[in-house]
Amino acid sequence: MRSTTSVSAALVFVLFACGPGTPDEPVVEAACPITEPNRLVAAPPDFQPAEDAYYGLHRFDDDILYTFDRLDDPEREYWRLNRCTGEAEPYPALAPGLHNPFVVHTPGGRILYGNDEAGRPYVIDRFDELGSDVARPVPGLPEGVTFIGSSTAPSVSFFLFAWSDGPNLFDAAGVGAGTYAIYVHHGDPDVPALRLSDRLLSAYYFDDQHSLTHEDNGEVNIIDEVTGARELLLTGVRYLSYGFDDRTFIWQAMGDDAVEPVFLHRLDTGEDVQIAVNDFAALSWNRGEHREAGNWNYSDWRDGVAAAMVGPDNRYVAAVRLDTGEALEIPEHLEQHGSYAGQFQLLRASDGGEVEAFWDPLTGQVREWYRTTTERRPTLLLIDGDLVEYFVHDPDDYHVGSLWRVDLATGDAVLLLEDVGAYPSRINETQYLVETPHGYIEGPPTGEPGFRAYDFSDLALVDVASGERSPIAERVSARVHVPEGLVFLDAFGPEPGLWAYPLPYEEPRSAARSGLLRRLEPPRARSAPTLAMP
């Protein structure tokens, strides 16, 4: 099906659509900011929605790429809309067979990339120049590239990962752990991708042009993402953990793989201070019952003031201050559940059950926030002073559950929402964006990992103070956030099309930090710090 679209004026609803450039095209006003629900583009007159169809929708600053054609339509056509000018035009550069577009910022402007059905990356278009380029494969890559991730370096486009064969071990050098190769490309389709390393165990964002890397030979380097130049920091490193604090990282020395010392490295002076001994090295890094054993967790990324070592029983066995290397006393606990907002999360025993608690490593204070006598565990969503919000999954349907708020000062817990989709988004103190899930649909292929699953949900704005529920749209599978709200493809509403909805949105803490503070990980990477689930 070929699309015929029309762009609405900014603050009025579109009731009828004509093709761009026709005499009946409405006068276009700026679509920014969003002040009320507004249909930006009407669906084609012959559009017939399907509940199992993926409709592409991608945002790059104020530009939106969208299509009303099914993924399997051999004549699928994307359109490009500038949501602030209201201008829409066909976008043939993202041709059928190319998927998952993303834009990177280079000194020469924005470059659009994507991948074909086999996962091979393509340079699609110089996004800021008029006209469309002919998509071309990124040269210089081996077979088996499995992941694409954006870089923050100003003149490097993205990272490409290719896994080597290896057991399900992580992070440890010299023990046969799985490794991966990492490549970068600079936007020119005539220039091959640059390989930075082919035996990586882990790589971290370091600054706007460098990554901190740990390789299977035990080397730790700072690698220039533009030139590939290396600065060797250490050798003989079994394990590395970096907390993005620009000052320190933790590393374990390669020894007999039984009892090995652990050090705190100061980046400014090169000094190493021993902070612990790992006397369970042979059980670390997924070689024992607990896959987290041997890892160090930070009390917070970027702003962390302490770090703690996970033992083979999933308990913290050592903890230190990052500024001094001073050892900290660890409270009694049954399990560690990661960290959040400067505090470690602990599971502790209590009369008749167990409790989730926060441990402040600087003050030593331990505060309980969730008590249970069942195996149902919460997912922490927010800490704001004494107020904590968490989500508890329904034991019969993991995709729905209830949202709670507890006051740590009083211990009082209040049910905010129930029977809603997982992890409602907090808009302000009383309003939440909630989902009612209908299942998943398959998205475009991304190579070896297969198909991505997309939520297929009803969206609504709920005020927990008044109980008022304001429906936004039903059976939405494609949506993006913009500073003023949501842009989503409404296929099943009374006026199908591309809509904007006013909803100032603050990114979740984890999402906000991932763009700048990232660990570069392929698809087979480990899970996030443990939060026990039903």
Side-chain angles (χ1 to χ4, degrees):
M1 179 181 67
R2 311 296 288 181
S3 299
T4 303
T5 66
S6 176
V7 183
S8 74
L11 304 179
V12 297
F13 294 92
V14 173
L15 301 179
F16 182 74
C18 305
T22 67
D24 295 324
E25 183 174 351
V27 176
V28 172
E29 300 177 15
C32 310
I34 304 169
T35 59
E36 62 180 318
N38 173 32
R39 188 166 66 163
L40 304 175
V41 175
D46 59 346
F47 175 64
Q48 296 294 327
E51 296 206 7
D52 64 344
Y54 164 86
Y55 300 107
L57 176 63
H58 310 276
R59 174 208 168 198
F60 308 111
D61 302 317
D62 290 325
D63 290 299
I64 306 290
L65 296 183
Y66 66 92
T67 180
F68 288 97
D69 295 334
R70 293 178 60 102
L71 182 65
D72 56 0
D73 188 337
E75 296 186 323
R76 188 194 65 185
E77 183 176 54
Y78 268 86
W79 288 70
R80 178 175 177 171
L81 166 74
N82 185 290
R83 69 182 188 91
C84 291
T85 66
E87 297 177 357
E89 59 184 1
Y91 191 72
L94 192 57
L98 294 178
H99 310 284
N100 308 314
F102 64 92
V103 156
V104 296
H105 296 264
T106 72
R110 294 180 297 174
I111 307 292
L112 188 78
Y113 288 83
N115 64 269
D116 63 15
E117 294 188 1
R120 185 177 185 180
Y122 279 69
V123 181
I124 294 177
D125 191 25
R126 289 166 292 180
F127 206 58
D128 294 323
E129 297 185 15
L130 295 177
S132 298
D133 294 333
V134 176
R136 296 167 59 184
V138 175
L141 296 174
E143 297 294 329
V145 170
T146 59
F147 179 79
I148 301 173
S150 297
S151 167
T152 52
S155 55
V156 176
S157 62
F158 61 86
F159 295 101
L160 301 141
F161 298 95
W163 269 99
S164 67
D165 293 330
N168 194 29
L169 307 179
F170 306 106
D171 287 346
V175 296
T179 61
Y180 59 95
I182 186 171
Y183 296 77
V184 292
H185 190 249
H186 297 223
D188 188 337
D190 294 318
V191 177
L194 174 66
R195 186 179 69 188
L196 299 183
S197 175
D198 60 358
R199 297 293 292 172
L200 276 174
L201 294 167
S202 61
Y204 301 84
Y205 169 88
F206 189 72
D207 61 30
D208 284 346
Q209 193 167 312
H210 298 85
S211 290
L212 178 68
T213 66
H214 179 211
E215 298 175 88
D216 194 46
N217 62 3
E219 288 187 1
V220 175
N221 289 277
I222 294 178
I223 300 182
D224 189 309
E225 299 171 1
V226 177
T227 67
R230 291 167 169 251
E231 177 188 352
L232 179 64
L233 297 185
L234 289 172
T235 59
V237 175
R238 178 81 72 192
Y239 165 85
L240 169 72
S241 182
Y242 178 47
F244 304 100
D245 64 356
D246 299 328
R247 303 183 303 274
T248 61
F249 61 77
I250 292 171
W251 65 282
Q252 180 172 316
M254 296 177 71
D256 60 6
D257 197 26
V259 178
E260 297 178 343
V262 182
F263 299 89
L264 180 69
H265 180 83
R266 303 193 186 284
L267 286 161
D268 56 349
T269 65
E271 177 187 8
D272 293 295
V273 178
Q274 184 172 342
I275 56 175
V277 173
N278 182 345
D279 56 8
F280 49 89
L283 299 177
S284 297
W285 312 294
N286 207 31
R287 293 188 289 172
E289 182 179 353
H290 297 284
R291 65 182 296 164
E292 296 294 326
N295 291 350
W296 283 77
N297 291 338
Y298 289 79
S299 57
D300 195 5
W301 297 112
R302 193 66 168 183
D303 299 320
V305 296
M309 185 183 189
V310 182
D313 56 359
N314 201 34
R315 299 182 186 182
Y316 287 131
V317 296
V320 298
R321 289 183 58 130
L322 295 174
D323 55 350
T324 65
E326 174 189 357
L328 297 172
E329 183 177 353
I330 303 172
E332 288 292 330
H333 62 289
L334 300 175
E335 293 180 357
Q336 64 83 21
H337 285 173
S339 62
Y340 196 100
Q343 303 186 64
F344 292 104
Q345 296 176 235
L346 306 176
L347 181 69
R348 289 162 58 92
S350 69
D351 295 338
E354 299 169 344
V355 294
E356 296 276 356
F358 296 123
W359 164 40
D360 186 324
L362 292 188
T363 66
Q365 184 181 29
V366 178
R367 299 196 290 178
E368 299 178 359
W369 60 276
Y370 182 82
R371 181 179 297 270
T372 180
T373 58
T374 72
E375 292 185 357
R376 297 177 66 188
R377 302 293 188 206
T379 298
L380 180 64
L381 300 182
L382 173 73
I383 301 176
D384 184 5
D386 287 333
L387 298 181
V388 174
E389 292 183 5
Y390 58 89
F391 186 85
V392 180
H393 292 269
D394 188 292
D396 299 320
D397 185 354
Y398 191 76
H399 301 295
V400 299
S402 55
L403 178 68
W404 293 78
R405 181 184 294 163
V406 60
D407 187 331
L408 296 180
T410 64
D412 295 334
V414 177
L415 175 63
L416 300 180
L417 297 166
E418 59 182 336
D419 297 325
V420 295
Y423 318 139
S425 299
R426 186 174 189 259
I427 306 304
N428 53 45
E429 291 184 358
T430 64
Q431 290 184 310
Y432 293 80
L433 175 65
V434 301
E435 302 182 25
T436 302
H438 294 288
Y440 297 98
I441 57 175
E442 289 185 341
T446 57
E448 185 176 303
F451 288 81
R452 292 193 297 181
Y454 285 78
D455 295 320
F456 190 53
S457 307
D458 300 342
L459 302 180
L461 186 63
V462 176
D463 191 304
V464 296
S466 65
E468 181 180 357
R469 182 185 182 94
S470 303
I472 296 175
E474 296 181 353
R475 293 177 286 177
V476 172
S477 61
R479 63 185 183 270
V480 293
H481 289 283
V482 297
E484 303 88 357
L486 288 174
V487 174
F488 58 91
L489 198 151
D490 185 359
F492 297 95
E495 298 177 82
L498 188 66
W499 283 79
Y501 189 91
L503 192 70
Y505 179 77
E506 181 177 346
E507 287 189 84
R509 182 181 181 87
S510 59
R513 75 185 181 210
S514 64
L516 175 64
L517 308 178
R518 74 189 192 286
R519 173 165 177 168
L520 312 174
E521 298 186 74
R524 281 172 46 185
R526 74 203 41 74
S527 62
T530 304
L531 276 176
M533 296 295 183

